[in-house]
Amino acid sequence: MEIEKEVKKMTLGHEIGAGAACLKCKEKCEGFELHFWRKICRNCKCGIEDHDVQLQSEENQKVGRLFEDTKYTGLIAKLKRDGVPTYRGNQVTISIATPAVGTAVPVPAAVTAAVLVPGIAATPGAPSGPAHEPPSGHAHSPPSATAHGASFVPAPGAHSGPTPGAPAAHAPGAGTAPAIPAVMPARKDVVKAITYEWAPPGVNPSLALRYMELLPPERRPIAGTQGADYRKKQMAKQLPEHDQDPERCHELSPAEVQQMEQYVRKYKDEALGVGDLTLPEEMAAAAGPAGVKGLQSPGAGAKPVSGAPGARTGPASGDQAVAAVGRAGMPDAPGAGNSSPAGSYMCHHCQQEMRRGEPAVYAERAGYDKLWHPACFVCCACKELLVDMIYFWKKGQLYCGRHYGDSEKPRCGGCDELIFSNEYTQAEGQNWHLKHFCCFDCDCILAGETYVMEKDKPICKPCYMKNHAVHCTACQGPIEPEAQRVSYGEHHWHAEPNCFRCSGCSKCLMGQRFMALQGKLLCSVECKKKFMTS
């Protein structure tokens, strides 16, 4: 019965995305077919993220397992009957009203100077001042004619500013001036709906929208765009499910399963976190006067930090105490200057000042003295945006899940899994499971065999000669990997007298000067003339 369950699980896993077209190889790929133990397509060698496969449900389950048994269980749905939690992907649709100019409507101008407010028509007998009178003592600035299309029309001899409460026309008998036509556009609002496949959860929608605007345009996860494809690929690359689930790994021993479970428990307790959005001025204000009593990040669920200046409540790589906050330059904190609350924070990545009113990313495990610009919340190894703001904190650095794993364990160059066994192979600057150092094309074991590294992948000699070897321009035969050859541009020759010789006089050109013409070797101008006339 147990064997049947394992076979069923393996079969269903390998049926995911079966036959899906490759977005990179196009028609060259016959359709996605998952390799038995590599995390690639058997047909084209591309990853599943490069194929037209909808992985939202699988991704949600993957991230759900990542957050299971952590303080971030609020980000996952209730456990399903099969025991697999699901990530609540925060997909949101935001409607943005875009002002547009409609048909121009002529409006007669009165003798007394008046400001035409867009969207408010002039009424006979109505006051010529603004619709809403400004409070006493406050100057009123007329709207920009360039921005709104309104006109400011002075009457001959009239004062330059409007008189509050003045009638729209003079009393009977007073001199009048001909009406000057003014143009006031009829404004319409065009509502544009934008769907983000993910947005920061639990924050004000306007703050979330501003966060998106501060990301590079090609990184914004808008449905159906390059940014959505980028998020999909980073979700697969940064958070490999075979880094957290032993069932997704290939033939682990019971001892390796135990080691992996300990590794997962460790990073959930010590490194895993989810960024929060906050405003720099709110973070600084939360510090309070003369210290950090009660300091916490909005929505982060962090514990307050207290203590005397210079004291530490945790290790240097974790939450920082008062001395660290003072170094950040918070107002009224030890060592702070007279800067504004927003200006007291510098981005931990680019060291540029955080602006007031601009959303900043806060990482609870990094401590209260560190903030990041939205576009600066990146992995220290790959420099890519941390997908869905999921980070791993280690020794003062932000990591994505993949590169945090690489910093803890060796990763197999064949199956892409972390290595938990004590014995493994190191070759070509990479690490390999003993049974996974094999040909990338045919999977034959390479121990004691001749192989060639082709694009950082080991290839056995027969597969190299068949699929990767360059061909000699003279004899048209493949050039063996260990054979000497001469290359010139896109042309290659065996470094032998029978192949590398003059096309005019058949002279061997090894160690001699030569010229190449249309793939032909020539030793002299005379042979060139002979070749051109033949």
Side-chain angles (χ1 to χ4, degrees), residues 222-236:
I222 300 174
T225 67
Q226 178 184 355
D229 292 338
Y230 171 80
R231 177 180 176 267
K232 173 186 173 183
K233 291 183 178 180
Q234 293 304 315
M235 181 68 73

